[in-house]
Amino acid sequence: MYKILYCRFSGGQRLVVVFDFKGEQTIEFSLDELEKEELPEELKQYIKGIREGIDSGYYDYSL
């Protein structure tokens, strides 16, 4: 199970930070990395479900 914590910009890319409850860890990745095989399929499906909110800036966190 995953829960998005926030998104932030770094080097012109939006980075997504999620908490993995099963693995008890945070995972940070760019949206480009969704296409790679390294991320679990369950995480990819979760992000696809909230992608509109991510793209709209709803989860953005600015320092």
Side-chain angles (χ1 to χ4, degrees), residues 35-53:
E35 305 305 319
K36 296 182 179 176
E37 297 297 320
E38 295 147 10
L39 295 175
E41 190 61 35
E42 185 181 351
L43 175 57
K44 291 179 185 180
Q45 292 302 316
Y46 172 69
I47 295 300
K48 286 180 185 177
I50 60 169
R51 181 72 185 254
E52 187 175 318

Side-chain angles (χ1 to χ4, degrees), residues 10-51:
S10 178
Q13 285 190 336
R14 178 178 271 130
L15 299 177
V16 180
V17 180
V18 298
F19 188 76
D20 173 4
F21 287 94
K22 197 182 298 183
E24 300 177 348
Q25 63 181 345
T26 58
I27 303 171
E28 183 176 72
F29 56 91
S30 70
L31 293 175
D32 293 338
E33 292 178 75
L34 284 178
E35 305 305 319
K36 296 182 179 176
E37 297 297 320
E38 295 147 10
L39 295 175
E41 190 61 35
E42 185 181 351
L43 175 57
K44 291 179 185 180
Q45 292 302 316
Y46 172 69
I47 295 300
K48 286 180 185 177
I50 60 169
R51 181 72 185 254

